[in-house]
Amino acid sequence: MEDRKPNFVLMMVDDLGIGDIGCYGNDTIRTPNIDHLAAEGVRLTQHIAAAPLCTPSRAAFHTGRYALRAGRVQVLLFLGGSGGLPPTETTFAKKLQEQGYTTGLVGKWHLGVNCEHRGDHCHHPNTHGFSYFYGLPFTLFNDCNPGEGTDVLADLKNLLWRLTLMVALALLSLVVLGLLEVSVSFIVAVTCLSLLAFSVWFIPFHFLRTWNCIIMRNQEVVEQPMVLDTLPQRLLGEAQGFIERNADRPFLLFLSLAHVHTPLFNSPGFAGKSRHGLYGDNVEEVDYMIGRMTETVDRLGLANNTMMYFTSDHGGFIEDRDHRGQKGGWNGIYKGGKAMGGWEGGIRVPGIFRWPGRLPAGRVVDTPTSLMDLYPTLTHLAGSTHSHRLLDGYNLMPVLEGRTDRSQHEFMFHYCGAYLNAVRWHPPGSESVYKVHFFTPNFSPPGAGGCYKTKLCFCDGHHVTHHNPPLIYDLYTDPSESRNLTSDTEPRYQEVLQQTARAVELHRATFTRAQPDMPHPLLEPAPNQLSWEKILWRPWLQPCCGTFPFCGCKENVSSTLA
C-alpha cells in the first residue's frame, strides 16, 4: 500500500457560499462532517474560483487554465448545443488516466456533450479522461422540477411569444378585414412558414425538461427526464460504489454534487430540519453526503493513501429567492456573489484538503490559492510529467505540507464573462493582497448588494460601470472590499497600478504569443464556444433515449440504490 500511488476523492458543491459552512464562520447551519474534514486536514481561507459561473469555473478547474484559453467557455444553455470543453484541452483526469489511474465522475458535468452529430461525444466526460461517468451531462436547473419556473432565456421566450402573437393577429386582421387580397395557396404557405418559425423557438423552450434534464451512464441516456426525488441517494451510491470497486488500485473520483443549485431538493430526511429553510436543509444534506464519503474511505482502510478535497465551483447565488425565502447561499463577509465578476463573494470558496499522515491536521492557509491548482497538484502526485501547455495553476503541496506559507500566485486574473474584470496582487514579502477592479456590475436597485431587478448581473454595456482610475482594495485589511484606496490612504498606490497594468499586459500576451521566459509554443486561438451557432439548440445533437424526438426513459432506481 505504501508504494502505491495515492488516490484522490474530489468533492465539489454547486453554488455553495463560503459563509454556509461552520468552519468558515457559520454557527447556525450544521456541517459537522465538513468541519471534521477541515479539523483533520488543511483549510484554505483564500481559495479562489477562476470564474463566478459554473461552466467557465469548471473548465478552469479541470484544465488548470483560465476558461478563456479554451475558447471563451461560458455557461451552456442547451444540452443539444455544440459548445463545450474542446477536445484539444487536457484535463487532470486524462493525465491521471495516462498514469494508470481508474478515473470516475459522478454528478454534474455541464461542459458539453456533442459537436457535429448525436453520439460523437466530443465534449463528453469519457472523452476528457473519465473512464466512468454517471450523472448530469448538463446541470440541475429550475425547469427540471415542474412548477419552479424557468432559468433559460425566460425574457427571450416571452418576447418571442409576444412577437408570434402580434404577427399572427396582424395577418389575420388583414385577411378578415379584406385589406390583403391573397389566394388560398398563399394563406396556406404563410401559415406553414409561420408554424415552422414558431416551432423553431417553441420546441426547444417548451420541452426543456426533456432536452436538458437527463441522466447518463457513460454515453448512454438512462433517464429522460430525470426524477429528482432519488437523485441525491443515487449520486451518493454511485460515488461510494466507485470507491469500493476500485479500492485495490489507484483511482480518481470527482463527486460533483447537484446541490445546492436550484431547484432545491426536498429530501424527507432533511426537509424542515435546519434553521434556514429549504436552503439550509440542502446544505445539511450535503454535509451528510460528505460524511458518508469520508466514512467509505476510512472503512476501506484507504485514508492514509487518499487525498480528499472539498470545495464549491463559485460563490452563492444571493439574488435567488421567492415567496418561500432565500434559495441561494450566503457568502459571509464578502461582497457580491455568483455572476458578479471579481467581487470576492462570487469567487472565494471553501477549500479543504485531508490526507492523514501526509498533511498536518488543523493547518490553516491564508495565502491566495486557486481551483486551477488542482491540475498541477494531482498530476505532480500521480507522477505525470507536464506537457508544453501553459498552466495558470501551481502545485499546492509545498503550501499544504507547511514547507512554505506562500503560494506561487503573485497575480490572479478575474473575469466577468470574456472580459478581464479585476486583478489580485500579492506582493512578495508583504501580507497585503491588493485587488484592482477595472469595472464593476451595477447593482439594482441602487444601494442593494446584488442585481435583484435583473436576477443576475451582466458584464457589459449599461450593466457595468468602468472605473478610471480603477478601484483598489487591500483584502488583508479590508476583505469586504468596502474602503477604496487612494494615493492619500495607500503609500503603494502608484506601484499597485503599475504592477497590475504590467501583469495584465503579460497575461494578455500569453493568449497570442510565447514569452521569452515561458517555454511553451505559440498559442493557437481556441474555437469560440460563445457563438450563437454553438449555444443554440440543435435537434441532431440532442442526447436521447428512444427514437428522437420521442425521448423518454426511467432508470430502475431500486437496482441503482441496492
Side-chain angles (χ1 to χ4, degrees):
M1 178 69 74
E2 292 181 358
D3 296 332
R4 208 182 85 178
K5 293 182 178 180
N7 308 309
F8 305 104
V9 176
L10 315 178
M11 301 170 290
M12 178 180 283
V13 190
D14 197 356
D15 287 17
L16 180 72
I18 191 172
D20 292 328
I21 305 300
C23 59
Y24 283 94
N26 193 305
D27 58 2
T28 56
I29 296 180
R30 295 166 297 186
T31 57
N33 294 301
I34 298 171
D35 299 343
H36 187 64
L37 199 73
E40 292 189 335
V42 180
R43 181 169 64 91
L44 310 178
T45 66
Q46 198 172 167
H47 199 41
I48 307 299
L53 281 171
C54 303
T55 304
S57 173
R58 290 165 183 268
F61 170 73
H62 283 284
T63 63
R65 295 150 53 87
Y66 291 105
L68 200 62
R69 300 194 190 280
R72 301 177 70 190
V73 175
Q74 194 51 273
V75 172
L76 303 179
L77 301 177
F78 295 98
L79 194 54
S82 64
L85 186 63
T88 52
E89 286 297 311
T90 302
T91 64
F92 56 68
K94 186 173 292 185
K95 296 294 286 185
L96 266 63
Q97 201 175 50
E98 294 171 356
Q99 295 299 309
Y101 276 74
T102 301
T103 55
L105 192 163
V106 173
K108 170 177 172 174
W109 174 240
H110 208 188
L111 291 170
V113 176
N114 297 314
C115 284
E116 297 182 357
H117 60 84
R118 185 181 305 119
D120 67 30
H121 298 121
C122 69
H123 302 305
H124 191 277
N126 290 158
T127 303
H128 280 295
F130 288 99
S131 315
Y132 179 74
F133 170 64
Y134 175 88
L136 295 69
F138 193 62
T139 185
L140 184 64
F141 67 125
N142 280 331
D143 300 74
C144 297
N145 193 12
E148 288 287 345
T150 184
D151 285 331
V152 179
L153 300 176
D155 292 339
L156 177 60
K157 178 184 177 181
N158 293 333
L159 175 62
L160 290 171
W161 180 252
R162 290 195 296 269
L163 288 175
T164 300
L165 290 178
M166 289 173 58
V167 171
L169 185 61
L171 286 174
L172 182 62
S173 300
L174 290 173
V175 172
V176 170
L177 296 175
L179 301 177
L180 186 65
E181 298 182 3
V182 293
S183 64
V184 174
S185 60
F186 178 80
I187 293 176
V188 171
V190 170
T191 301
C192 291
L193 286 173
S194 299
L195 288 174
L196 178 63
F198 172 73
S199 64
V200 164
W201 70 264
F202 181 79
I203 290 176
F205 282 113
H206 186 71
F207 296 101
L208 267 177
R209 182 166 176 256
T210 299
W211 305 144
N212 283 353
C213 304
I214 74 174
I215 294 177
M216 298 182 78
R217 187 184 301 278
N218 292 321
Q219 299 177 1
E220 178 188 2
V221 179
V222 296
E223 189 161 274
Q224 188 173 19
M226 63 183 169
V227 177
L228 298 186
D229 293 346
T230 58
L231 184 59
Q233 302 99 299
R234 282 186 280 171
L235 295 181
L236 177 59
E238 287 284 341
Q240 291 175 303
F242 180 87
I243 295 175
E244 291 166 351
R245 291 193 305 272
N246 297 286
D248 61 347
R249 71 193 75 176
F251 67 82
L252 159 74
L253 171 64
F254 176 35
L255 173 57
S256 178
L257 297 174
H259 296 74
V260 287
H261 200 290
T262 51
L264 298 170
F265 292 96
N266 195 22
S267 302
F270 300 92
K273 299 294 180 63
S274 81
R275 295 166 57 185
H276 287 277
L278 194 57
Y279 182 82
D281 298 344
N282 275 246
V283 175
E284 293 188 359
E285 185 172 18
V286 166
D287 182 74
Y288 166 81
M289 297 173 75
I290 301 305
R292 298 293 68 73
M293 293 298 295
T294 306
E295 184 274 333
T296 301
V297 170
D298 293 350
R299 171 172 53 84
L300 295 172
L302 301 174
N304 290 344
N305 197 47
T306 301
M307 172 186 277
M308 300 189 72
Y309 169 69
F310 174 83
T311 192
S312 175
D313 58 351
H314 51 70
F317 189 5
I318 63 175
E319 295 99 339
D320 200 357
R321 61 180 298 113
D322 61 15
H323 65 280
R324 295 167 295 184
Q326 183 69 22
K327 297 194 296 180
W330 182 50
N331 299 314
I333 64 173
Y334 304 107
K335 188 172 186 175
K338 177 179 179 177
M340 298 190 197
W343 285 126
E344 204 72 357
I347 55 177
R348 190 180 290 222
V349 295
I352 298 172
F353 287 86
R354 188 196 82 151
W355 189 354
R358 184 70 184 265
L359 301 182
R363 177 169 166 75
V364 177
V365 172
D366 297 321
T367 187
T369 58
S370 170
L371 268 67
M372 295 184 291
D373 296 335
L374 267 292
Y375 181 110
T377 302
L378 299 184
T379 53
H380 165 75
L381 291 169
S384 174
T385 57
H386 289 303
S387 64
H388 62 266
R389 296 179 71 80
L390 173 65
L391 297 180
D392 298 301
Y394 297 98
N395 175 18
L396 280 177
M397 288 308 293
V399 171
L400 297 178
E401 292 179 314
R403 287 181 276 138
T404 179
D405 290 328
R406 289 182 63 97
S407 73
Q408 293 178 259
H409 289 285
E410 183 178 353
F411 295 96
M412 285 187 185
F413 304 92
H414 308 302
Y415 283 87
C416 189
Y419 304 100
L420 182 58
N421 176 212
V423 178
R424 179 184 309 253
W425 179 39
H426 188 24
S430 172
E431 292 181 320
S432 292
V433 179
Y434 297 102
K435 176 95 79 67
V436 176
H437 291 263
F438 304 116
F439 67 86
T440 51
N442 296 328
F443 291 163
S444 59
C451 300
Y452 290 92
K453 285 189 175 180
T454 56
K455 305 300 182 184
L456 199 70
C457 291
F458 298 97
C459 302
D460 56 3
H462 67 278
H463 298 291
V464 302
T465 296
H466 291 267
H467 303 287
N468 187 16
L471 303 180
I472 303 178
Y473 302 96
D474 183 353
L475 298 176
Y476 179 71
T477 58
D478 180 27
S480 301
E481 297 175 281
S482 59
R483 301 188 299 274
N484 179 34
L485 300 177
T486 67
S487 57
D488 294 329
T489 60
E490 174 53 55
R492 304 184 70 171
Y493 180 83
Q494 290 299 329
E495 182 187 5
V496 172
L497 291 177
Q498 292 167 3
Q499 290 287 346
T500 52
R502 176 59 177 161
V504 168
E505 180 184 352
L506 292 174
H507 174 66
R508 285 178 169 159
T510 65
F511 289 89
T512 56
R513 59 185 174 83
Q515 294 294 304
D517 58 343
M518 294 181 182
H520 57 82
L522 294 175
L523 297 171
E524 297 296 330
N528 184 4
Q529 302 297 316
L530 267 181
S531 66
W532 283 105
E533 174 190 1
K534 290 184 176 292
I535 289 177
L536 292 182
W537 182 72
R538 299 181 183 185
W540 59 90
L541 297 180
Q542 177 62 50
C544 176
C545 60
T547 303
F548 185 86
F550 306 105
C551 307
C553 56
K554 187 174 180 180
E555 186 176 29
N556 186 345
V557 175
S558 59
S559 63
T560 303
L561 297 179

